[in-house]
């Protein structure tokens, strides 16, 4: 029995090795053609310049988002994609109003702040209160209700990677309200600041009071900390007028290259088209939008029609709700099993290094097979240095598909400066390197094409 198992394991692993070799042999020419075309491509940059400079930032509910959606739909038609359509999605509609803040005691100083997405407003005349400054939730809880009640909590938490630090932005208002605070200021979730505040999503909890919440710059958070540590009472004035309006109509944009042999099977390539309401949403996520759109155009130009259908999906409302992702999943319904893979581009346009492949829930063996095959595709991207395949990944918009077993991949980049610009007025086109954008295009187009054309699926 043991021997039989051993033989089976050997056979299976050599079949997999054969698979991997077959992928490289089958697609090295196509990959070389795609990379060559992508590395001289002007279309992705032209599209990104239009989206950034002519349309601008595009928060859910804004006219600019709908303008971007209409523009993308028309571009896809012009580029020759099949079945181009906008699938209606209802999205949350929060608008930023007038905002200001200043330290009033023990010195007078302006605060550089941005209301967090979804925050309630302060009273129209503003809010004046003393602050407590903490470096963690533990420090806050140690202060207790007695020292927090009636105050504005300032979370001065240094950046230790996005995941660990962003929870102060998303949960800060809840944790502060639980102790009776009247407002919350969070240090912007970034490792570097030139006095630039970064916004982003936040949450409330129906068990507690909703508090006005804003992000301040690193510079201002550190100033508040120093004043507070001196032992003086530190008071701030805050005025926020953000408010939530009734839900708005938006849409996911979909366009396809219908598969030559298995048209019902889908490989999805896409990213979110919405952004925060500051800057231009160039890295987050204009880059992912234009890379996805242009990858399809490039394959059409090269005459590379894959066996499965390649479906480009530009999701609405990733930033503050994920309504686009949920609506797409609902639209797909039972046809979920026809999704062979999903690739999300939402990591900015710094130099790409490869892809992360999300695990198949509860099936480590399938995950391993998927990784081996994805690594074979990765090797085709060696000429542009994007050959890394990492376990774990995907993306927020495709998470609703991955939960049901669809192999999900997310583009990875060097990630050196993304969070310097993320969700701030500095996320503009000038931060995008045209060469890096071309590399992202090459990586996305090769990955999507091979997934859509290869024999079998990643987790088979
Ligand atoms: Zn994003």
């Amino acid at each position: 029995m043991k021997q039989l198992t051993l033989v089976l394991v050997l056979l299976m692993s050599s079949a997999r090795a054969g698979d991997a070799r077959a992928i490289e042999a089958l697609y090295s020419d196509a990959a070389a053609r795609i990379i060559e075309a992508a590395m001289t491509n002007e279309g992705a940059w032209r599209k990104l310049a239009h989206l950034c400079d002519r349309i601008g930032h595009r928060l859910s509910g804004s006219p600019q988002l709908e303008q971007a959606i209409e523009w993308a739909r028309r571009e896809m038609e012009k580029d020759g994609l099949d079945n181009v359509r906008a699938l209606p999605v209802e999205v949350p509609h929060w608008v930023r109003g007038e905002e200001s803040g200043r330290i009033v005691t023990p010195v007078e100083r302006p605060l550089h702040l941005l209301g967090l997405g979804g925050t309630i407003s302060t009273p129209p005349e503003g809010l004046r209160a003393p602050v407590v400054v903490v470096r963690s939730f533990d420090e806050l809880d140690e202060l207790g209700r007695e020292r927090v009640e009636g105050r504005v909590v300032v979370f001065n938490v240094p950046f230790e990677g996005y995941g660990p630090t962003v929870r102060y932005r998303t949960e800060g208002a809840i944790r502060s309200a639980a102790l009776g605070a009247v407002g919350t200021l969070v240090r912007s979730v970034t490792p570097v600041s030139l006095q630039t505040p970064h916004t982003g999503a936040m949450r409330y909890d129906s068990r507690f009071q909703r508090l006005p919440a804003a992000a301040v710059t690193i510079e201002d958070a550190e100033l508040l900390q120093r004043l507070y540590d001196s032992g003086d009472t530190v008071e701030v004035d805050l005025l926020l007028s953000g408010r939530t309006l009734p839900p708005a109509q938006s849409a996911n944009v979909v366009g396809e290259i219908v598969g030559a042999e298995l048209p019902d099977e889908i490989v999805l390539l896409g990213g979110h088209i919405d952004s925060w309401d500051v800057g231009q949403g160039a890295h987050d996520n204009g880059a992912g939008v234009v890379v996805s759109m242009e990858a399809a155009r490039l394959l059409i130009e090269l005459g590379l029609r894959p066996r499965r259908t390649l479906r480009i999906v530009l999701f609405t409302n990733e930033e503050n709700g994920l309504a686009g992702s949920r609506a797409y999943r609902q639209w797909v319904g039972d046809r979920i099993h026809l999704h062979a893979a999903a690739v999300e581009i939402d990591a900015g346009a710094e130099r790409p290094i490869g892809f992360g492949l999300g695990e198949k829930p509860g099936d480590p063996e399938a995950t391993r097979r998927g990784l081996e095959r994805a690594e074979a595709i990765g090797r085709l991207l060696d000429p542009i240095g994007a050959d890394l395949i990492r376990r774990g990944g995907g993306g927020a918009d495709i998470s609703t598909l991955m939960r049901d077993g669809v192999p999900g991949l997310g583009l990875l980049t060097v990630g050196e400066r993304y969070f310097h610009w993320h969700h701030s007025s500095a996320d503009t086109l000038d931060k995008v390197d045209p060469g890096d954008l071309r590399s992202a295009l090459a990586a996305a187009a090769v990955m999507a094409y091979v997934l859509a054309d290869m024999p079998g699926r990643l987790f088979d």
Side-chain angles (χ1 to χ4, degrees):
M1 188 62 199
K2 232 182 195 166
Q3 265 177 340
L4 184 62
T5 314
L6 185 67
V7 169
L8 274 174
V9 166
L10 282 174
L11 273 174
M12 281 166 67
S13 63
S14 72
R16 280 205 298 276
D19 258 19
R21 271 198 304 276
I23 286 169
E24 287 182 77
L26 277 170
Y27 296 110
S28 59
D29 286 352
R33 287 180 63 206
I34 293 168
I35 290 170
E36 193 191 349
M39 294 317 281
T40 54
N41 176 276
E42 301 288 341
W45 182 266
R46 186 187 58 75
K47 285 180 163 84
L48 188 56
H50 185 91
L51 185 59
C52 289
D53 292 343
R54 302 298 168 135
I55 298 176
H57 58 66
R58 39 199 184 276
L59 184 59
S60 290
S62 68
Q64 298 96 300
L65 174 58
E66 296 320 296
Q67 210 184 322
I69 286 167
E70 179 54 20
W71 163 79
R73 197 185 60 72
R74 266 189 271 129
E75 286 287 312
M76 282 190 193
E77 274 176 353
K78 252 197 290 179
D79 288 345
L81 276 73
D82 308 310
N83 303 325
V84 177
R85 67 217 123 147
L87 304 171
V89 182
E90 192 172 84
V91 295
H93 189 187
W94 174 83
V95 289
R96 183 184 305 283
E98 195 193 328
E99 296 181 330
S100 63
R102 56 202 178 106
I103 301 171
V104 292
T105 315
V107 290
E108 282 263 357
R109 293 286 187 281
L111 287 172
H112 304 81
L113 58 77
L114 260 181
L116 297 185
T119 181
I120 60 161
S121 57
T122 59
E125 68 280 10
L127 164 79
R128 175 171 293 192
V131 304
V132 289
V133 185
V134 296
R135 289 194 185 271
S136 67
F137 287 137
D138 286 345
E139 266 189 37
L140 176 69
D141 292 340
E142 270 166 38
L143 288 177
R145 173 169 284 270
E146 199 181 312
R147 291 178 60 196
V148 173
E149 198 161 29
R151 291 166 189 258
V152 168
V153 175
V154 180
F155 291 101
N156 180 27
V157 182
F159 186 83
E160 285 175 1
Y162 192 64
T165 313
V166 75
R167 62 201 185 99
Y168 289 91
R169 189 188 76 211
T170 52
E171 292 166 36
I174 298 172
R175 301 289 290 257
S176 308
L179 295 174
V182 295
T184 175
L185 294 174
V186 59
R187 169 171 163 153
S188 292
V189 184
T190 177
V192 164
S193 180
L194 295 171
Q195 203 65 283
T196 317
H198 298 237
T199 189
M202 65 169 294
R203 286 203 302 267
Y204 289 121
D205 182 325
S206 57
R207 290 175 300 165
F208 307 112
Q209 190 83 32
R210 296 179 164 227
L211 305 185
V216 293
T217 59
I218 293 180
E219 291 87 340
D220 286 347
E222 287 288 322
L223 171 60
L224 285 161
Q225 179 89 57
R226 290 192 299 271
L227 294 173
Y228 179 75
D229 287 349
S230 76
D232 286 343
T233 296
V234 181
E235 276 190 311
V236 295
D237 264 4
L238 295 178
L239 176 76
L240 300 176
S241 7
R243 62 194 196 283
T244 299
L245 303 173
Q249 272 308 309
S250 185
N252 291 331
V253 188
V254 174
E256 297 176 339
I257 301 176
V258 172
E261 288 173 33
L262 301 165
D264 291 341
E265 288 197 26
I266 305 295
V267 167
L268 184 155
L269 170 67
H272 67 90
I273 190 166
D274 64 310
S275 78
W276 280 103
D277 60 337
V278 289
Q280 297 181 323
H283 278 276
D284 188 14
N285 182 34
V289 166
V290 305
V291 160
S292 303
M293 292 167 76
E294 191 67 8
R297 199 202 61 76
L298 198 71
L299 295 177
I300 293 170
E301 182 186 277
L302 293 173
L304 290 168
R305 182 181 292 274
R307 293 180 336 117
R308 298 181 187 82
T309 292
L310 175 62
R311 177 179 289 164
I312 308 303
V313 182
L314 308 179
F315 295 92
T316 192
N317 186 230
E318 187 269 350
E319 295 291 5
N320 59 339
L322 282 175
S325 173
R326 284 195 303 274
Y328 179 80
R329 176 66 191 86
Q330 209 173 2
W331 179 69
V332 162
D334 294 343
R335 291 168 294 156
I336 182 82
H337 68 278
L338 293 169
H339 279 65
V343 183
E344 184 161 328
I345 314 292
D346 183 19
E350 288 176 279
R351 189 169 62 73
I353 55 169
F355 291 86
L357 171 67
E359 300 181 18
K360 181 168 184 179
D363 196 343
E365 196 43 48
T367 302
R368 219 158 46 128
R369 292 193 295 273
L371 282 166
E372 280 178 24
R373 293 186 177 121
E375 277 162 9
I377 307 174
R379 284 192 284 277
L380 300 169
L381 292 168
D382 176 69
I384 57 163
D387 53 331
L388 176 74
I389 300 293
R390 187 187 288 163
R391 179 192 282 262
D397 281 312
I398 61 172
S399 64
T400 49
L401 306 173
M402 293 168 63
R403 232 173 270 149
D404 288 317
V406 176
L409 298 114
L411 184 70
L412 302 170
T413 76
V414 289
E416 284 164 356
R417 288 187 289 169
Y418 181 64
F419 289 109
H420 301 191
W421 314 306
H422 182 252
H423 297 184
S424 82
S425 35
D427 183 3
T428 48
L429 186 63
D430 51 288
K431 310 303 188 307
V432 178
D433 178 272
D436 290 345
L437 186 67
R438 289 190 185 104
S439 294
L441 171 62
V446 168
M447 180 56 76
Y449 174 73
V450 176
L451 287 170
D453 197 75
M454 70 187 209
R457 301 179 180 187
L458 283 182
F459 290 157
D460 280 354

